[in-house]
Amino acid sequence: MKKHTWYSICLLLLVLQGALCAWTEGTRKKLPEKEMKLIYALEYSRHGARAPMHHHLNASSWKYELEELTPIGMRQHFLLGRSLYHRYVKSGRLIDPNNIKTRTVQVRSTDFDRTIMSAQTQVYGLLYRLGTSFQKDQERWFSIPPFRLNEDVEFFRDTLYNRVLPNKFVPVPIHTVPEHQDDVAFPEKSCPRLQQLIQAVEEASEYKKIFNQLRIEGFFKQFAELVGEQEDKLTLHSLAEYDDVINCNLMQSIPVPKWARQEIGHKLMWVHDFLNLYKAFHNEESTRLISSNLLKDTLDSIDAAVTGKNTVTKFRLFSAHDDTLNRIMVPLGLNQHVSDFQKFLNSKKGRNPPFASSLIFEVYKDEAKNENYIMVLYNNHVKTLGGACNNERLCSYSNFKKLIEPMIIVDMKSACVAKDDTPKRKATK
């Protein structure tokens, strides 16, 4: 082929490539939030990877205490914080790195070591090296406590010098409420009616369907032989406990039995995720009771930013648990249980929030229209809401309220009174 022919072909390809790029650029949808002002972000997160919650398999040989946050869990939340740093701080969209006040970032945690430590490490990543320095020599002298220090000169010269804290660390208060008093994260602790409904889950139709299916196909017998349990002692709850241990082992690269990576292990995960998304949501009443206070917390927090009651706090973190995220996501249609094993395997639906999951509500202001909008992100993916929000990327605040308010119970005290209409819990065999 002649030289000029090759030249013509290359030139044609370049023209086509340019035309394609121009078409792509012209047809690319402009993200509406880019034209608005981000005024607030509210995050609910699950703690990072932890030790198992139960003494099954090899859990007793772990070097960490049960339920304790592991170094992997700490790193997860630090990196989550760094991701949020790039989104909210480095970009300058929400937090001014040169003007961080005590209440710029507000943190609430459930009263568990693993959630408090997760909050600490996430905020460390969010505000990494953004702390202040002393401007005057006198400030350094006055910062010495009223007793003789044992630190050497090199520590003051190399590590501190004029920094208030090493690495310009930014301490942020973490607020907690004792578990038995925390009606927002744990309404079941003080709601007898909700306790009734959760305890009655074993009489719910889909629970019994899965239990009977596993019993008929011989799963309980097979699993009992594998782990040395009595078959009649196994329930869906105990299967979920085994899955928890396996999941924690995998997160730490601790060897698990061969069957844990095969269909048996997949069924354990299915049962575990099903229970987490079903036990408190198996009817409309229990769903409203378990979710009402959290949804009110969400709406109140966003409302304060929209109405101007809160002008100082730009980012609020609620460090909690997988159940916490589910209690917001399920009523909003962002997650749901899957009672069919094959459907569970073939789709991403019905999955429990993994360690260090993050659910964020961002609040935007369209200053030209003087209107506010909500955008929801789950693990860095935009999620749309149905109902009044019409599955749009941005939901107007007025429509967001229309969606949330009917889910909130005004008189929780009356709604929590126990009733005699729940079926008696039976022993499963």
Side-chain angles (χ1 to χ4, degrees), residues 229-262:
E229 284 269 17
Q230 296 180 34
E231 182 183 349
D232 60 354
K233 298 288 185 182
L234 291 176
T235 65
L236 297 191
H237 290 86
S238 58
L239 295 182
E241 292 175 3
Y242 275 96
D243 180 67
D244 176 71
V245 176
I246 292 169
N247 186 36
C248 292
N249 281 341
L250 291 173
M251 288 295 298
Q252 301 295 136
S253 299
I254 296 174
V256 297
K258 186 177 180 180
W259 52 258
R261 296 180 181 272
Q262 298 170 348

Side-chain angles (χ1 to χ4, degrees), residues 38-269:
L38 178 60
I39 63 171
Y40 185 67
L42 167 64
E43 180 196 11
Y44 295 91
S45 69
R46 185 188 181 188
H47 56 77
R50 53 160 171 75
M53 301 186 73
H54 308 279
H55 282 296
H56 295 311
L57 300 177
N58 64 342
S60 58
S61 64
W62 269 59
K63 62 180 179 179
Y64 308 110
E65 295 181 13
L66 290 182
E67 306 181 28
E68 180 184 351
L69 190 72
T70 66
I72 287 176
M74 299 174 198
R75 173 70 72 88
Q76 283 182 306
H77 267 276
F78 175 77
L79 293 177
L80 171 56
R82 291 300 293 164
S83 174
L84 298 179
Y85 161 81
H86 287 284
R87 186 173 183 86
Y88 298 133
V89 184
K90 186 178 180 180
S91 66
R93 296 177 67 205
L94 184 64
I95 297 174
D96 181 356
N98 300 311
N99 188 30
I100 297 175
K101 298 181 172 63
T102 303
R103 290 171 54 205
T104 299
V105 174
Q106 186 182 73
V107 183
R108 157 88 149 88
S109 173
T110 58
D111 197 24
F112 288 80
D113 291 347
R114 62 183 180 274
T115 55
I116 296 171
M117 293 167 69
S118 293
Q120 288 174 329
T121 51
Q122 185 182 146
V123 174
Y124 185 39
L126 174 68
L127 303 178
Y128 183 65
R129 299 182 68 86
L130 294 179
T132 56
S133 299
F134 291 128
Q135 303 301 315
K136 301 177 182 178
D137 289 340
Q138 294 92 324
E139 291 178 312
R140 294 208 302 272
W141 287 112
F142 283 121
S143 68
I144 299 174
F147 52 83
R148 183 179 178 83
L149 298 176
N150 296 322
E151 292 291 350
D152 52 36
V153 174
E154 286 76 14
F155 176 79
F156 284 96
R157 184 189 63 207
D158 302 333
T159 305
L160 281 181
Y161 187 55
N162 67 335
R163 305 177 191 90
V164 174
L165 294 171
N167 285 324
K168 303 187 82 172
F169 174 70
V170 182
V172 174
I174 298 176
H175 303 271
T176 64
V177 177
E179 183 183 2
H180 66 280
Q181 297 176 6
D182 194 346
D183 292 336
V184 175
F186 306 107
E188 64 271 26
K189 301 294 181 182
S190 58
C191 184
R193 177 57 177 166
L194 183 52
Q195 293 169 8
Q196 282 184 320
L197 293 168
I198 292 175
Q199 290 169 3
V201 69
E202 292 185 7
E203 296 304 312
S205 59
E206 291 189 67
Y207 182 101
K208 290 198 290 187
K209 175 186 173 183
I210 292 177
F211 182 88
N212 290 331
Q213 174 188 330
L214 293 176
R215 180 176 55 80
I216 292 169
E217 66 186 36
F219 183 85
F220 285 112
K221 181 180 180 181
Q222 180 187 18
F223 188 72
E225 292 172 353
L226 286 171
V227 298
E229 284 269 17
Q230 296 180 34
E231 182 183 349
D232 60 354
K233 298 288 185 182
L234 291 176
T235 65
L236 297 191
H237 290 86
S238 58
L239 295 182
E241 292 175 3
Y242 275 96
D243 180 67
D244 176 71
V245 176
I246 292 169
N247 186 36
C248 292
N249 281 341
L250 291 173
M251 288 295 298
Q252 301 295 136
S253 299
I254 296 174
V256 297
K258 186 177 180 180
W259 52 258
R261 296 180 181 272
Q262 298 170 348
E263 184 173 304
I264 293 175
H266 297 155
K267 283 193 174 179
L268 292 179
M269 181 172 66

Side-chain angles (χ1 to χ4, degrees), residues 304-322:
V306 168
T307 60
K309 294 176 184 176
N310 163 37
T311 57
V312 178
T313 301
K314 298 298 182 182
F315 177 83
R316 180 178 179 235
L317 164 64
F318 196 138
S319 179
H321 312 265
D322 50 353

